Amino acid sequence: MRGHEWKLKMYDLLKGARVLDLTTIVLGPFATRYLGDFGADVVKVEPPSGDLFRYVRPARSEGMGAGYLNSNRNKRSVTLDLKSPEGKNRLLDLLDGADVLVHNMQPATAGKLGVDPDSIRNAFPQIVYCCAAGYASGGRNAELPAYDDIIQAACGVADLNRNDRGEPRFLPTIICDKVGGLHLAMAVLAGLVHHASTGQGCYIEVPMYEGIASFLLSEHLDGETFVPAAGTTGYERVLSPYRKPYATRDGYLAVLPYTTKNWVGFFTAIGRNDLAEADWVRDPAQRSDRIAELYEILAQAMPERSNSDWLKLLRDLDIPCSPVQSLGDLLDDGHLSDVDFFGEVDHPTEGRIRSVRSPFWVDGVDEKPDHPAPPRAEQNNLIEWYKRSDR
């Protein structure tokens, strides 16, 4: 059972797995951070100039920006110039003791550096090789560069987020990088399971564009799921203009009656017995056809009460709801405080920093304190250490 203390820590679920991490910026480092949180030995391999994301501000010192610190905990660091013969030889030494190689380079770049799938897998057939390029190989865009903004535009995210003037907008978070990172972490885990059961390596391609397209179309393929089509793309419930935080008497509230019990309870509570007893409200299929109408009724009712009054009523009825919080509000959120979501650690070069712990809680395995993100070239003696270590 979980105790009250739930501090910043890694779990030994992946103890013994060695991951050679050639990723940069956000997508790849976000993925390998989770692998490190689960106890994998993650070695971050950087060029002499370092991961570019190190230099994104704010920062206390050069090359140790906040975003880098938040995406690279529980890793070691080694600097290699893969354009030089010495750097390539040292990489081969590391690969000899690794279970996974992961990168998010374009295929042509990986080929120039000698870390393309054929070169690596021919030399190290046991390796789980995972590549998270922008686009899948075999397509016309396979060699195009891609970052979060580009994929938000290409996949329909920016179009879905158009403003009142019809202008497409990016979501104010690097959603494609982070979802792509989760896909990459999942691929590595699947590869490790395959390796554990067969003793063989494999190649897994995790393209960002196709991953986000799949992510969005799980619901938004909608009527085009059927052949012939039963409608267009776009899930009506989430596209309704009335699906939004609702203005109350003194603020904004997110409210989502979802089940028949939720809707009947809500309409009964606000004195709309005509709707509470209506057949179309009580029938899930008919309710789905008229969901925009229901959301409009919600929007019209919410200004009649304050946030606190609504929260008490809705929670008494077990209807999902939440006040609208800012990012800054999360620092003082009561629930996050209860579960020790934030913690402070002393970084060896950056002093006292705040960190967000792993969202997971694991029982039944050993755990260790988190290691803060490493300074660049912290441990170039890793290669010799790997040579001495038992497999």
Side-chain angles (χ1 to χ4, degrees), residues 116-179:
D116 55 283
D118 289 343
S119 297
I120 298 300
R121 297 184 67 218
N122 286 338
F124 302 97
Q126 85 286 356
I127 283 285
V128 174
Y129 183 114
C130 290
C131 168
Y135 302 88
S137 59
R140 65 190 65 189
N141 295 342
E143 293 293 345
L144 294 180
Y147 292 94
D148 184 271
D149 292 6
I150 306 308
I151 300 301
Q152 284 206 36
C155 278
V157 175
D159 182 68
L160 284 171
N161 197 40
R162 287 177 181 270
N163 63 20
D164 292 340
R165 297 186 297 277
E167 300 165 336
R169 299 180 303 170
F170 297 133
L171 291 176
T173 183
I174 44 178
I175 184 71
C176 297
D177 269 342
K178 291 185 287 186
V179 171

Side-chain angles (χ1 to χ4, degrees), residues 1 3 7 21 30 39 47 85 93 104 138 142 148 161 165 168 202 208 246 258 260 262 282 294 303 308 349 355 386:
M1 295 295 291
K7 300 297 185 182
D21 176 11
F30 187 73
D93 288 335
N104 56 345
D148 184 271
N161 197 40
R165 297 186 297 277
C202 59
M208 193 177 181
Y246 300 112
Y258 203 86
T260 299
N262 286 165
R282 291 174 173 267
L294 288 170
S308 59
T349 63
S355 185
Y386 265 40

Side-chain angles (χ1 to χ4, degrees), residues 19 35 100 102 128 130 183-193 204 206:
V19 178
L35 301 177
V100 178
V102 57
V128 174
C130 290
H183 288 164
L184 181 57
M186 181 171 60
V188 170
L189 293 174
L192 284 171
V193 171
I204 307 177
V206 192

Side-chain angles (χ1 to χ4, degrees), residues 246 255-259 262-263 266 287 291 295 298 314 319-320:
Y246 300 112
V255 184
L256 186 59
Y258 203 86
T259 65
N262 286 165
W263 282 110
F266 177 80
R287 202 166 58 238
I291 194 66
Y295 285 169
L298 266 177
L314 294 167
I319 294 175

